[in-house]
Amino acid sequence: MGLLDPNRLFPAEPGLRAIAQHLYDGVRDLPIVSPHGHCDPRWFAENTRFPNPAELFVVPDHYVFRMLVSQGVDLADLGVPRSDGGAVETDPRAIWRRFAAHMHLFRGTPSAIWLNHAFETVFGLTEPLNADTADAYYDHIDAKLAEPAFRPRALFDQFNIEALATTEGALDDLQWHRAIRDSDWQGRVITTYRPDAVVDPDFEGFLENLEAFGALTGEDITTWEGYLNAHRKRRAYFKDFGATASDHGHPTARTENLPQLEAAALFQMVRTGQATAEEAEAFRGQMLTEMARMSLEDGLVLQIHPGSRRNHSAQVFAGYGRDKGFDIPGRTDYVAALKPMLDAVGMEKDLTIILFTLDETTYGRELAPLAGAYPALRLGPPWWFFDSAEGIRRFRETTTETCGFYNTVGFNDDTRAFCSIPARHDVSRRSDCAFLAQLVGTGRLSEGEATEVAYDLTYRLVKEGYRL
Amino acid sequence: MGLLDPNRLFPAEPGLRAIAQHLYDGVRDLPIVSPHGHCDPRWFAENTRFPNPAELFVVPDHYVFRMLVSQGVDLADLGVPRSDGGAVETDPRAIWRRFAAHMHLFRGTPSAIWLNHAFETVFGLTEPLNADTADAYYDHIDAKLAEPAFRPRALFDQFNIEALATTEGALDDLQWHRAIRDSDWQGRVITTYRPDAVVDPDFEGFLENLEAFGALTGEDITTWEGYLNAHRKRRAYFKDFGATASDHGHPTARTENLPQLEAAALFQMVRTGQATAEEAEAFRGQMLTEMARMSLEDGLVLQIHPGSRRNHSAQVFAGYGRDKGFDIPGRTDYVAALKPMLDAVGMEKDLTIILFTLDETTYGRELAPLAGAYPALRLGPPWWFFDSAEGIRRFRETTTETCGFYNTVGFNDDTRAFCSIPARHDVSRRSDCAFLAQLVGTGRLSEGEATEVAYDLTYRLVKEGYRL
Amino acid sequence: MGLLDPNRLFPAEPGLRAIAQHLYDGVRDLPIVSPHGHCDPRWFAENTRFPNPAELFVVPDHYVFRMLVSQGVDLADLGVPRSDGGAVETDPRAIWRRFAAHMHLFRGTPSAIWLNHAFETVFGLTEPLNADTADAYYDHIDAKLAEPAFRPRALFDQFNIEALATTEGALDDLQWHRAIRDSDWQGRVITTYRPDAVVDPDFEGFLENLEAFGALTGEDITTWEGYLNAHRKRRAYFKDFGATASDHGHPTARTENLPQLEAAALFQMVRTGQATAEEAEAFRGQMLTEMARMSLEDGLVLQIHPGSRRNHSAQVFAGYGRDKGFDIPGRTDYVAALKPMLDAVGMEKDLTIILFTLDETTYGRELAPLAGAYPALRLGPPWWFFDSAEGIRRFRETTTETCGFYNTVGFNDDTRAFCSIPARHDVSRRSDCAFLAQLVGTGRLSEGEATEVAYDLTYRLVKEGYRL
């Protein structure tokens, strides 16, 4: 039978399904352009084998382990390291069995589709994973991982990836990107400038990070001018390693456009650890506008990923640290929040600011109206909890009528789960084709137009939007 | 013809419809488990006949009378008692005729489905109710109500109810539950501990309620410890009458986890009627965490029903009192609001907290991400205005991808309209099967999985979630 | 082939489609009742030809030019006048070509449907507009506009418009409405009282507007009583020219019901330019309640259009002034905001208050629950960005279950693009029939009921709701 329905995610109505299939046939085999994500560049630099099935599919994937935790499985029993170095499960097969025994939890979730897609198309598995098949799965995948064809670079090629952007902090020396560049491998793996650790006063170790930022760039980090110059130098360095974009993960979309004297004074409060919560928030906001101005200088695309309330559980944060599946979206305002930045640079035609959201209520009310007016704005695809069939449908249904297709930028997989990349892009292509089929089937778009739009959404807009 | 389309609420597309029908066939006749609602236990204690059609279908059902009021009918003309004891319509036939003449207002609403379901399946009526058929309807129903088969206990059995939870205040002596227990009837009617009247400082008569609470429990209600002990005693008393859950209807989802000394001081402000609005809100929030801690002791499930702005019309409240259809949902935050309680007890595996909402925007943004992470959290079904075909569809579409099916707890009818119970559960079963059929028909779930999920959503999850 | 699919916007599923077609057949040719919009009454007073295709389709339509601006076209290059009188494009053919070359931007948007509907049904064009066909289009439309049959009055008749409401400010002398009344033409073009310029302290020129308001009415505008009387006189004057409604475009839905002495004192702050932002907001809120009270006296329907953050781009506002496509919706609260007004007049059966929103999250959570309870409230149709197939679907899906169809008032086109009026009403009729077909096809409504509802939504409710 197989794990994958060839018609999955297409409309059930036969007429619409035929249209969707036809559109999908035209984009299914286009190269993957992955302009934003969290793969580890070391994989491609070293090209050693992935250690085992659990470390490939379970330990790094917060979509997976959070669901198990929500049903009473301990993070430690899934091999997630404790902050205090305390004992956690070290047997990958035991972790795998726990995961397999809980596969039913993923029914109806995108994780099920992503996992099954990788199981079948990458590893050739066709029986459902569950407690009974756990060991056979483990053995099969583990054996495959030992083969040369399952090394990172080989999979990169097999996945037909044209470009893959990773995300590195401002202090990263990009050694793995250097190693890739210095190798004879031709795969295009580029970096992205993500300076949260030296921009967000609430980031762990912020003051030390600032020191390191100054040391790394040779700039006098005690002055506002020196601080901005340090960013300019790091942006240039990242551009050297292929970066075409910066990325900013802030709790809100707040921006500011203070007079430079005020901004400099604010920086002094921040730099000396004296900033109030409100000042910290204002500083993050000011820095978005500064980054946008630097983008006008150096051409980097500005990505804003706001609205996640990070590390919601104090207990999990204390026990396991960041990024453990307890980041929860919150209400996000864009209309007032972005106005200072947009008043400064929103009408610039040579600037691209890509907005993301975890608050779907803003699609129709705020984001599409903004992106349908300001030349500098584009909408990023559904993010995180919403990069799914239903999430993509809602995104298209609530943005397209107001800002069209051409103020959007195609798909981001945004993942650290390497084997899910083809699956995620496939879900996106199928979901967009399903939406287009609906428009064609209800007389809102001709089939010729839809064919063009499908190509644009899959390939052209992402390359243009990210200047790849 | 009949009032009911046998395929109602199934997808129109024939392939999906066939799947939905098949899934529904597997759950249609499962017993009704009703873990939360507002039926009057006196019905089952006394087992006397329902007085007349108007008192069965119109007077107690705020879904019904609010719609008529919105189109200019006076509450008094529908027999709703005035606070001042002033004259209201007393002729049930006149009330019934007014209702019947306005049946067209319910087109497209769940009330139409619930009413027609009861008319046809309980009373055998097949002509539409309207002004012309009003009298025939009245006479027919009234005659039926005189028959033994239409007494409350007989209907309870006919409806195939396995368990029915009512909701009583903390000061209730549970005399009707006692009478049921002391009778030879085997129907399982249990209570639920709803302490709002002694927890919410803004509740009518709060200070007097506290006095009564102390008197009833023999606890020294002037101390924080005594007050908490009073709750413990009442919870135990309610457990004696079958309660497996408490329920809390607060204006917001705010929680607090204050140090006990601060909580005690706050209680003194509250107890002496000196609390500000902010302190009242903080106290309600503190009590949710206290109740969660008591749940860890005694095993009661904690239900939170936040977000209703009660008694919105000052004029209606002055004229007719509470619960007259003028409770309006408002924006509700969960992410920040629940954090204190979740930091205290959210990772407990032996605790079940069931969250409800009247703010659908929180399904995907807040509730599913929270329930998909914290082991103690489960999502209650769509509530109140949203316990309908479209409401259930939106609930499943926006929560399933993030928290799956297994962090939800099946259906609540939450009704005081007894005859609507089978109808409401039927709507839920059909709507869930329609959703599952969509997943099957678009390759996201196998039919075998869907069959299992349909059973779980209808029967297993509600029993497990409520420990019934 | 033609530009229009005869089955556009109907469900794709053949069974549902047949039902929708049948329902649509019953309402397709009903007269257009347009109770709220922004057409220029001068067109019908003078009845001279429309100057050229660009001034008919591009320059006045912010839906159109904002999309082009969002993709880098300058407003000046589309002929939009600069505030400083600086040079802008004056060649209508050049403007038209720019527009035509960007038609692909409108794929999937209602503008595409509206434009193509006008091109085909009004001008008989059947080839798609693009860069290649731009000149042929221009020449064809320009030639048609020279014909008598394309004069405003002739089109009004051809469009089968039974009544068309325009919107004029409180200071308008209604000279064009007078000219229409004094002419021998029988078309019903009525005005609407829109007093924002003398009600909103933040309106440009507010203090001068107040002066003019006093001069125009002969009332002593320095007193609260005189100010209210001035409104009464202007309302009566507008009623003389057919007005059946007032309209209020406020940034929020805030209302107040202050004691008259406080209201008078607030007016003094406002009148003398001393009001704070909070006082200005309170004054707008107070005036909604005052207007509602006047409505009880004179029978005008009260429309509230809240929630637009006007003139979002400081740069565009400075360069081009108001209404240039940079009005962005924002979150809007109704539950607390409307309570003062509803406590004052919400239970009045002889009052009609029509609520609009740009915040779709309020449909199910706030607006439908309010309209489903208060006799004075009705819901206006989807507005602005949401008067589209998807917008109408979401409106019906999220309001109908709670407030039914009969607390809504049919469709508003709300347009200043005259040729789009038939298109917009057609979209509304098709979308409502599609929704009704869904209800019929899933057993929630009989076909007879749906036929009646389709008529009501298209014709009866708008005439009753607006007292036309």
Side-chain angles (χ1 to χ4, degrees):
Chain A
M1 52 174 276
L3 300 170
L4 300 175
D5 181 335
N7 289 317
R8 65 192 178 280
L9 308 186
F10 294 152
E13 199 282 315
L16 297 180
R17 172 162 290 189
I19 301 169
Q21 281 170 327
H22 182 68
L23 294 171
Y24 176 68
D25 285 344
V27 298
R28 182 185 46 210
D29 298 327
L30 286 173
I32 286 175
V33 180
S34 175
H36 176 71
H38 298 275
C39 283
D40 189 342
R42 185 172 182 175
W43 297 335
F44 310 106
E46 299 194 318
N47 201 36
T48 52
R49 66 159 276 173
F50 290 105
N52 59 62
E55 292 216 32
L56 187 62
F57 282 109
V58 183
V59 182
D61 190 340
H62 59 74
Y63 280 96
V64 167
F65 63 66
R66 78 193 302 277
M67 180 66 95
L68 272 61
V69 168
S70 80
Q71 291 276 318
V73 179
D74 280 332
L75 278 169
D77 290 336
L78 296 169
V80 177
R82 291 185 194 274
S83 302
D84 64 3
V88 302
E89 178 65 70
T90 54
D91 176 5
R93 188 179 294 267
I95 295 169
W96 184 262
R97 284 175 180 165
R98 271 181 205 115
F99 162 56
H102 287 87
M103 267 299 284
H104 64 285
L105 299 179
F106 298 102
R107 288 172 180 168
T109 73
S111 293
I113 294 181
W114 299 334
L115 290 164
N116 283 326
H117 190 279
F119 294 158
E120 178 162 328
T121 67
V122 183
F123 293 97
L125 292 154
T126 56
E127 291 298 306
L129 174 63
N130 54 42
D132 293 337
T133 59
D135 280 342
Y137 254 76
Y138 188 90
D139 294 335
H140 179 87
I141 294 173
D142 201 46
K144 288 287 186 193
L145 291 178
E147 298 178 15
F150 290 80
R151 296 282 176 92
R153 292 182 186 173
L155 287 176
F156 186 100
D157 293 338
Q158 188 208 315
F159 292 169
N160 194 18
I161 298 175
E162 180 175 316
L164 177 76
T166 65
T167 302
E168 274 74 43
L171 303 177
D172 196 292
D173 61 6
L174 305 183
Q175 63 162 310
W176 305 115
H177 285 86
R178 182 180 300 277
I180 294 168
R181 187 166 74 181
D182 293 347
S183 78
D184 58 358
W185 183 56
Q186 299 304 315
R188 186 175 180 194
V189 177
I190 63 177
T191 185
T192 302
Y193 186 61
R194 172 88 171 223
D196 296 356
V198 293
V199 160
D200 178 359
D202 297 329
F203 206 94
E204 300 95 287
F206 175 70
L207 297 180
E208 293 73 36
N209 297 341
L210 274 191
E211 295 278 334
F213 196 44
L216 187 65
T217 56
E219 290 290 334
D220 177 4
I221 214 74
T222 66
T223 71
W224 175 233
E225 293 74 17
Y227 173 72
L228 293 181
N229 274 333
H231 279 292
R232 284 192 188 92
K233 283 189 177 171
R234 293 308 288 166
R235 292 169 65 101
Y237 185 77
F238 275 61
K239 275 190 75 172
D240 251 17
F241 290 93
T244 69
S246 71
D247 183 35
H248 307 272
H250 290 189
T252 75
R254 167 129 170 220
T255 65
E256 288 293 346
N257 185 23
L258 303 171
Q260 285 297 304
L261 278 178
E262 284 182 42
L266 181 60
F267 175 67
Q268 292 306 326
M269 299 303 289
V270 162
R271 183 186 71 78
T272 54
Q274 301 176 73
T276 63
E278 160 59 22
E279 287 168 335
E281 176 74 349
F283 184 73
R284 287 187 291 263
Q286 179 68 22
M287 285 309 297
L288 287 180
T289 304
E290 298 297 343
M291 287 287 149
R293 277 194 274 260
M294 290 185 202
S295 286
L296 276 169
E297 297 168 8
D298 64 18
L300 290 188
V301 168
L302 180 73
Q303 299 174 93
I304 306 179
H305 281 93
S308 181
R309 280 34 165 187
R310 304 268 171 185
N311 312 313
H312 191 269
S313 167
Q315 185 177 339
V316 171
F317 185 61
Y320 297 90
R322 295 174 69 86
D323 297 329
K324 291 300 171 293
F326 283 76
D327 298 344
I328 309 292
R331 272 207 302 260
T332 306
D333 163 68
Y334 291 87
V335 180
L338 293 179
K339 185 168 167 38
M341 183 180 72
L342 292 175
D343 278 343
V345 300
M347 299 304 292
E348 296 288 345
K349 298 171 196 173
D350 295 329
L351 175 65
T352 305
I353 300 171
I354 302 178
L355 301 174
F356 294 81
T357 196
L358 292 172
D359 182 351
E360 292 184 304
T361 70
T362 63
Y363 283 157
R365 186 182 60 210
E366 305 181 21
L367 293 176
L370 288 166
Y374 283 98
L377 290 184
R378 294 291 183 274
L379 297 192
W383 171 37
W384 206 330
F385 297 109
F386 309 112
D387 50 353
S388 57
E390 299 294 333
I392 292 170
R393 179 179 60 76
R394 287 194 295 268
F395 173 72
R396 294 289 177 208
E397 285 181 357
T398 45
T399 62
T400 305
E401 293 187 323
T402 295
C403 73
F405 292 107
Y406 294 99
N407 286 304
T408 67
V409 295
F411 184 65
N412 286 188
D413 55 69
D414 197 9
T415 191
R416 59 196 81 223
F418 185 47
C419 286
S420 75
I421 288 180
R424 288 172 194 248
H425 285 264
D426 189 62
V427 165
S428 168
R429 293 171 190 195
R430 287 172 179 272
S431 299
D432 279 342
C433 289
F435 178 70
L436 290 168
Q438 182 69 29
L439 295 191
V440 171
T442 57
R444 288 182 264 180
L445 207 62
S446 74
E447 210 159 338
E449 290 177 303
T451 300
E452 208 173 300
V453 174
Y455 177 85
D456 292 344
L457 297 183
T458 304
Y459 190 73
R460 190 172 69 81
L461 287 173
V462 64
K463 293 195 62 161
E464 286 185 12
Y466 281 90
R467 308 183 180 190
L468 286 166
Chain B
M1 53 173 276
L3 299 170
L4 300 175
D5 181 336
N7 289 317
R8 64 193 178 280
L9 308 186
F10 294 152
E13 199 281 317
L16 297 181
R17 172 161 291 189
I19 301 169
Q21 282 170 327
H22 182 69
L23 293 171
Y24 176 68
D25 285 345
V27 299
R28 182 184 46 210
D29 298 327
L30 286 172
I32 287 175
V33 180
S34 175
H36 175 71
H38 298 275
C39 283
D40 190 341
R42 184 173 183 174
W43 297 334
F44 309 105
E46 299 195 318
N47 201 33
T48 53
R49 66 159 278 173
F50 290 105
N52 58 62
E55 292 216 32
L56 188 61
F57 282 110
V58 183
V59 182
D61 190 340
H62 58 75
Y63 280 96
V64 166
F65 63 66
R66 78 193 303 274
M67 180 66 95
L68 273 61
V69 168
S70 80
Q71 291 276 318
V73 179
D74 281 332
L75 278 169
D77 291 336
L78 296 169
V80 178
R82 291 185 193 273
S83 302
D84 65 2
V88 301
E89 179 65 70
T90 54
D91 176 6
R93 188 179 292 268
I95 294 169
W96 184 262
R97 285 175 179 165
R98 271 180 205 116
F99 163 55
H102 288 87
M103 267 299 283
H104 65 285
L105 299 179
F106 298 103
R107 287 172 180 168
T109 74
S111 293
I113 294 181
W114 298 334
L115 290 164
N116 284 326
H117 190 280
F119 294 159
E120 178 161 326
T121 67
V122 182
F123 294 97
L125 293 155
T126 57
E127 291 297 307
L129 175 63
N130 53 43
D132 293 338
T133 59
D135 279 343
Y137 253 77
Y138 188 91
D139 295 335
H140 178 87
I141 294 172
D142 201 44
K144 287 287 187 193
L145 292 178
E147 297 178 14
F150 290 81
R151 295 283 176 92
R153 291 181 185 175
L155 288 176
F156 186 100
D157 293 338
Q158 188 209 313
F159 292 169
N160 194 20
I161 298 175
E162 180 175 315
L164 177 76
T166 66
T167 302
E168 274 74 42
L171 303 177
D172 196 291
D173 62 5
L174 305 183
Q175 63 162 308
W176 305 115
H177 285 85
R178 182 181 300 278
I180 294 167
R181 187 167 72 180
D182 292 348
S183 78
D184 57 359
W185 183 57
Q186 299 304 316
R188 185 175 181 194
V189 176
I190 64 178
T191 185
T192 303
Y193 185 60
R194 173 89 171 222
D196 297 357
V198 294
V199 161
D200 178 359
D202 297 329
F203 206 95
E204 301 95 286
F206 174 69
L207 297 181
E208 294 73 36
N209 296 342
L210 275 191
E211 297 277 334
F213 196 45
L216 187 65
T217 56
E219 291 289 336
D220 177 4
I221 214 74
T222 66
T223 71
W224 174 234
E225 293 74 18
Y227 172 72
L228 293 180
N229 275 332
H231 279 292
R232 283 191 188 92
K233 284 190 177 169
R234 293 307 288 166
R235 291 169 66 101
Y237 185 77
F238 274 62
K239 274 190 77 172
D240 252 17
F241 290 94
T244 69
S246 70
D247 183 34
H248 306 274
H250 290 189
T252 75
R254 168 128 170 222
T255 66
E256 289 292 347
N257 185 22
L258 303 172
Q260 285 296 306
L261 278 178
E262 284 182 42
L266 181 60
F267 175 68
Q268 292 305 326
M269 299 304 289
V270 161
R271 182 186 72 78
T272 54
Q274 302 176 70
T276 62
E278 159 60 20
E279 287 167 336
E281 175 75 348
F283 184 73
R284 287 187 292 264
Q286 179 68 24
M287 285 308 297
L288 288 180
T289 304
E290 299 296 344
M291 287 287 149
R293 278 194 273 258
M294 289 185 202
S295 286
L296 275 168
E297 297 168 8
D298 64 18
L300 291 187
V301 168
L302 179 73
Q303 299 175 92
I304 307 179
H305 282 92
S308 181
R309 282 34 167 186
R310 304 268 170 185
N311 313 312
H312 191 269
S313 167
Q315 186 176 339
V316 171
F317 184 62
Y320 296 89
R322 294 174 69 85
D323 296 329
K324 291 302 171 293
F326 283 77
D327 298 344
I328 309 292
R331 270 205 304 258
T332 306
D333 163 68
Y334 292 86
V335 181
L338 294 179
K339 186 167 167 36
M341 182 180 72
L342 292 175
D343 278 343
V345 299
M347 299 304 292
E348 297 287 345
K349 297 171 197 174
D350 296 329
L351 175 65
T352 305
I353 300 170
I354 302 179
L355 300 174
F356 295 81
T357 196
L358 293 172
D359 182 350
E360 291 184 304
T361 69
T362 63
Y363 282 157
R365 188 181 58 210
E366 305 180 21
L367 293 176
L370 287 166
Y374 283 98
L377 291 184
R378 294 290 182 275
L379 297 192
W383 172 36
W384 207 330
F385 298 109
F386 309 112
D387 50 353
S388 57
E390 298 294 334
I392 292 168
R393 180 178 60 76
R394 286 193 295 268
F395 173 72
R396 293 289 177 207
E397 285 181 356
T398 46
T399 62
T400 306
E401 292 187 323
T402 295
C403 72
F405 293 107
Y406 295 98
N407 286 304
T408 67
V409 296
F411 184 64
N412 286 187
D413 56 69
D414 197 10
T415 193
R416 59 197 81 223
F418 185 47
C419 286
S420 76
I421 288 180
R424 289 172 193 248
H425 285 263
D426 188 63
V427 165
S428 169
R429 293 171 189 195
R430 288 172 179 271
S431 299
D432 278 343
C433 289
F435 177 70
L436 290 168
Q438 182 70 28
L439 295 192
V440 171
T442 56
R444 288 181 265 180
L445 207 63
S446 74
E447 210 159 339
E449 291 177 304
T451 300
E452 207 172 301
V453 174
Y455 176 85
D456 292 343
L457 297 183
T458 303
Y459 190 73
R460 191 174 68 81
L461 287 174
V462 64
K463 292 195 64 162
E464 286 185 12
Y466 281 90
R467 308 182 180 191
L468 286 165
Chain C
M1 53 172 276
L3 300 170
L4 300 175
D5 180 336
N7 289 317
R8 64 192 178 280
L9 308 186
F10 294 153
E13 199 282 316
L16 297 181
R17 173 161 289 189
I19 301 168
Q21 282 170 327
H22 182 69
L23 293 170
Y24 176 68
D25 285 346
V27 299
R28 182 184 47 210
D29 298 326
L30 286 172
I32 286 174
V33 180
S34 176
H36 175 70
H38 297 275
C39 284
D40 189 343
R42 185 172 182 174
W43 298 334
F44 310 105
E46 298 194 319
N47 201 34
T48 52
R49 66 159 276 173
F50 289 105
N52 59 62
E55 293 217 30
L56 188 61
F57 282 109
V58 183
V59 182
D61 190 341
H62 57 76
Y63 279 96
V64 167
F65 62 67
R66 77 193 303 277
M67 180 66 94
L68 273 61
V69 168
S70 80
Q71 291 276 319
V73 179
D74 281 331
L75 277 169
D77 290 337
L78 295 169
V80 177
R82 291 184 193 274
S83 301
D84 65 2
V88 302
E89 179 65 70
T90 56
D91 176 5
R93 187 179 293 268
I95 295 169
W96 184 263
R97 284 175 179 166
R98 272 180 205 117
F99 163 54
H102 287 86
M103 267 299 283
H104 65 285
L105 299 179
F106 298 103
R107 287 171 181 169
T109 73
S111 293
I113 294 182
W114 299 334
L115 289 164
N116 284 326
H117 190 279
F119 294 159
E120 178 162 326
T121 68
V122 183
F123 293 97
L125 293 154
T126 56
E127 290 297 308
L129 175 63
N130 54 41
D132 293 337
T133 59
D135 279 344
Y137 253 76
Y138 189 91
D139 294 336
H140 179 87
I141 293 172
D142 201 47
K144 287 287 187 192
L145 291 178
E147 297 178 15
F150 289 80
R151 295 282 176 91
R153 291 181 185 175
L155 287 177
F156 187 100
D157 293 339
Q158 188 207 314
F159 292 168
N160 194 20
I161 298 175
E162 180 176 315
L164 177 76
T166 65
T167 301
E168 274 74 43
L171 303 176
D172 196 292
D173 62 6
L174 305 183
Q175 63 163 309
W176 305 114
H177 285 85
R178 181 180 301 277
I180 294 167
R181 186 166 75 180
D182 293 348
S183 78
D184 57 359
W185 183 56
Q186 299 304 314
R188 186 175 180 194
V189 177
I190 63 178
T191 185
T192 301
Y193 185 60
R194 172 90 172 221
D196 297 356
V198 294
V199 160
D200 178 359
D202 296 329
F203 207 94
E204 300 95 287
F206 175 70
L207 297 180
E208 294 73 36
N209 297 341
L210 275 190
E211 295 277 334
F213 196 45
L216 187 65
T217 56
E219 290 289 337
D220 177 5
I221 214 73
T222 66
T223 71
W224 174 234
E225 293 73 18
Y227 172 72
L228 293 180
N229 275 332
H231 279 292
R232 284 192 188 91
K233 283 189 175 169
R234 293 308 288 165
R235 291 169 66 100
Y237 185 77
F238 274 62
K239 275 191 76 172
D240 252 18
F241 289 93
T244 68
S246 71
D247 183 35
H248 307 273
H250 290 190
T252 75
R254 167 128 171 221
T255 66
E256 289 292 347
N257 185 23
L258 303 171
Q260 286 296 306
L261 278 177
E262 284 182 42
L266 181 59
F267 176 67
Q268 291 307 324
M269 298 305 289
V270 161
R271 183 187 71 78
T272 53
Q274 301 176 72
T276 61
E278 160 59 21
E279 286 168 336
E281 176 74 348
F283 183 73
R284 288 187 291 264
Q286 179 68 22
M287 285 308 298
L288 287 180
T289 304
E290 298 296 344
M291 287 287 149
R293 278 194 274 259
M294 290 185 202
S295 286
L296 275 169
E297 298 167 8
D298 65 18
L300 291 187
V301 169
L302 179 73
Q303 299 174 94
I304 306 180
H305 282 92
S308 181
R309 283 27 168 190
R310 304 268 171 186
N311 313 312
H312 192 268
S313 167
Q315 185 177 339
V316 171
F317 185 61
Y320 297 90
R322 294 174 70 85
D323 296 330
K324 291 302 172 292
F326 283 77
D327 298 345
I328 309 292
R331 270 207 303 260
T332 306
D333 163 68
Y334 291 86
V335 180
L338 293 179
K339 186 167 166 37
M341 182 180 72
L342 292 175
D343 278 342
V345 299
M347 299 304 292
E348 296 287 347
K349 297 171 197 174
D350 296 328
L351 174 65
T352 304
I353 300 171
I354 302 178
L355 300 174
F356 294 81
T357 196
L358 292 172
D359 182 351
E360 292 183 304
T361 69
T362 64
Y363 283 157
R365 188 182 57 211
E366 306 181 21
L367 293 176
L370 288 166
Y374 284 98
L377 291 184
R378 294 291 182 274
L379 297 192
W383 171 36
W384 206 330
F385 297 108
F386 309 111
D387 50 353
S388 57
E390 298 294 334
I392 292 168
R393 179 179 60 76
R394 285 193 295 267
F395 173 72
R396 294 289 177 207
E397 285 181 357
T398 46
T399 63
T400 305
E401 292 187 323
T402 295
C403 73
F405 293 107
Y406 295 98
N407 285 305
T408 66
V409 295
F411 185 65
N412 286 188
D413 56 69
D414 197 10
T415 192
R416 58 197 81 221
F418 184 47
C419 285
S420 76
I421 288 179
R424 289 171 193 249
H425 285 263
D426 188 62
V427 165
S428 168
R429 293 172 190 196
R430 287 172 179 271
S431 299
D432 279 343
C433 289
F435 178 70
L436 290 168
Q438 181 70 29
L439 294 191
V440 172
T442 56
R444 288 182 265 180
L445 207 63
S446 75
E447 210 158 339
E449 290 177 304
T451 301
E452 207 173 300
V453 174
Y455 176 85
D456 291 343
L457 297 183
T458 304
Y459 190 73
R460 189 173 69 81
L461 287 174
V462 64
K463 293 195 63 162
E464 287 185 12
Y466 281 91
R467 307 181 181 191
L468 287 166

